[in-house]
C-alpha cells in the first residue's frame, strides 16, 4: 500500500496531502478515488485512508482507521556521525533510517577530510534529510529521522552524553565490547558516536570519556566508517528486540 507523510496529526477524519507527495499520487501513481493508501503523521501513528480527490497540488483522503506504526522501534537511537568523504553519508543516512535510527547528527572532528563550507554543508544536510524521508517511506517507518545541521565535535559530545547509554565506537578499545554495553538493562535511549576515516584523535576520545561516553569496541576487525554505524545499529535493534 502506498505510504506518505503529513506534518501533523489530522484534526478531523479527512487528510490533505500536498507538495511532492500530492504530485506523486496524482501524476506518477495515477491513483483513483476509492483506492487505499497509508498516511503517517510523523509521530508514530499510521492512518489507513480511502482516496477522495487527487490533484497535483492537493490530495484529500478519508481516514478509515488509525493505529501505531509497526515500523517504529521501542528504543530511541541517535547516530552522531563524523563527516565522511565523498557520498558515503548518503548511504549511512539511508541504511540507518531503514534500521530504525531516530536522529542523525553530523559533526566535524579533527581528522575529518571532508570540510565543506557552511553553505555547502547546509545543502548537504538538506539533501540527507530528503534521503531519510524517502527511506522512511520505502521501509515502512512511522517517523522520518531528523538530520541536524552539522556541529563541532564538542557540541556533539555534549548532546550524546544526555542519552541513557552514550557510546563511542573506538577501534583502539580493547576491554569494553558493544555486546557487554548492551546487556544487563533496558535499552531506552542510546547514542552512537562514530569517527571519520582516520578515526578519533586520542584527545577527542579522552574528552568524550570525560563527558560520560562509554568507549566500546566492535571486535577485532577495523570496520570502515560507513560500516561501523550500521553494524552497531543492527546490534542495538537486535538486543532490544526490534530486529
Amino acid at each position: 500500500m502506498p505510504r506518505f507523510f503529513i506534518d501533523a496529526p489530522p484534526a478531523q477524519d479527512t487528510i490533505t496531502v500536498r507538495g511532492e507527495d500530492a504530485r506523486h499520487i496524482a501524476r506518477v501513481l495515477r491513483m483513483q478515488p476509492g483506492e487505499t493508501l497509508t498516511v503517517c503523521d510523523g509521530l508514530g501513528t499510521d492512518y489507513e485512508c480511502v482516496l477522495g480527490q487527487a490533484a497535483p497540488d492537493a490530495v484529500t483522503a478519508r481516514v478509515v482507521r488509525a493505529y501505531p506504526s509497526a515500523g517504529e522501534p521501542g528504543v530511541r537511537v541517535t547516530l552522531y556521525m563524523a563527516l565522511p568523504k565523498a557520498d558515503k553519508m548518503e548511504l549511512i543516512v539511508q541504511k540507518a533510517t531503514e534500521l530504525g535510527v531516530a536522529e542523525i547528527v553530523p559533526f566535524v572532528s579533527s581528522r575529518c577530510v571532508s570540510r565543506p563550507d557552511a553553505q555547502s554543508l547546509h545543502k548537504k544536510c538538506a539533501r540527507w534529510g530528503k534521503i531519510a524521508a524517502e527511506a522512511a517511506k520505502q521501509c515502512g517507518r512511522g517517523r522520518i529521522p531528523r538530520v541536524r545541521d552539522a556541529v563541532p565535535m564538542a557540541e556533539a559530545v555534549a548532546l550524546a552524553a544526555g542519552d541513557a547509554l552514550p557510546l563511542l565506537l573506538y577501534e583502539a578499545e580493547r576491554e569494553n565490547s558493544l555486546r557487554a554495553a548492551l546487556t544487563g538493562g533496558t535499552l531506552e535511549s542510546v547514542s552512537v558516536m562514530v569517527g571519520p576515516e582516520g578515526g578519533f584523535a586520542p584527545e577527542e576520545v579522552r574528552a568524550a570519556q570525560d563527558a560520560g561516553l562509554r568507549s566500546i569496541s566492535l571486535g577485532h576487525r577495523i570496520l570502515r566508517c560507513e560500516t561501523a554505524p550500521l553494524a552497531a545499529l543492527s546490534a542495538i535493534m537486535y538486543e532490544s528486540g526490534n530486529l
Side-chain angles (χ1 to χ4, degrees):
M1 185 183 300
R3 188 179 193 84
F4 304 94
F5 281 87
I6 53 178
D7 295 331
Q12 301 176 345
D13 62 354
T14 299
I15 287 178
T16 301
V17 179
R18 303 183 187 276
E20 293 183 7
D21 281 349
R23 288 189 289 274
H24 188 74
I25 292 170
R27 289 183 173 172
V28 179
L29 297 179
R30 299 183 181 276
M31 296 185 69
Q32 300 298 315
E35 292 189 66
T36 57
L37 67 159
T38 300
V39 179
C40 312
D41 62 8
L43 300 174
T45 299
D46 289 354
Y47 301 86
E48 182 182 331
C49 301
V50 175
L51 187 63
Q53 295 182 337
D57 59 338
V59 170
T60 59
R62 177 175 56 85
V63 176
V64 175
R65 66 186 183 102
Y67 50 94
S69 300
E72 285 307 301
V75 57
R76 176 181 172 80
V77 184
T78 303
L79 172 61
Y80 294 83
M81 186 70 218
L83 292 179
K85 295 187 293 184
D87 58 355
K88 293 177 182 178
M89 192 67 171
E90 296 185 4
L91 172 69
I92 293 168
V93 169
Q94 182 188 67
K95 301 310 176 186
T97 298
E98 293 178 21
L99 287 167
V101 76
E103 189 171 19
I104 300 170
V105 183
F107 69 92
V108 181
S109 65
S110 65
R111 294 181 177 175
C112 282
V113 176
S114 177
R115 292 180 179 272
D117 59 48
Q119 183 176 2
S120 297
L121 190 52
H122 182 72
K123 290 181 179 179
K124 285 179 178 289
C125 290
R127 172 165 172 71
W128 297 333
K130 291 182 179 180
I131 290 172
E134 290 302 318
K137 294 174 187 176
Q138 179 274 323
C139 72
R141 292 286 302 271
R143 300 173 186 265
I144 298 175
R146 177 188 178 189
V147 180
R148 291 202 188 197
D149 283 337
V151 299
M153 181 169 176
E155 184 175 341
V157 167
L159 290 169
D163 278 320
L165 182 59
L167 303 175
L168 179 83
L169 305 190
Y170 185 39
E171 68 275 7
E173 177 62 52
R174 294 293 180 265
E175 297 181 2
N176 303 311
S177 68
L178 177 60
R179 172 178 287 184
L182 296 178
T183 56
T186 302
L187 296 178
E188 297 179 356
S189 63
V190 183
S191 56
V192 178
M193 180 166 279
V194 184
E197 289 84 354
F200 290 113
E203 60 272 16
E204 291 175 329
V205 175
R206 289 193 294 270
Q209 291 172 332
D210 290 343
L213 273 70
R214 297 176 60 177
S215 174
I216 59 100
S217 167
L218 289 179
H220 298 294
R221 296 172 301 279
I222 297 177
L223 304 183
R224 291 179 179 271
C225 68
E226 66 269 32
T227 307
L230 306 182
L233 284 170
S234 298
I236 293 167
M237 292 302 167
Y238 178 82
E239 188 63 32
S240 61
N242 290 287
L243 192 65

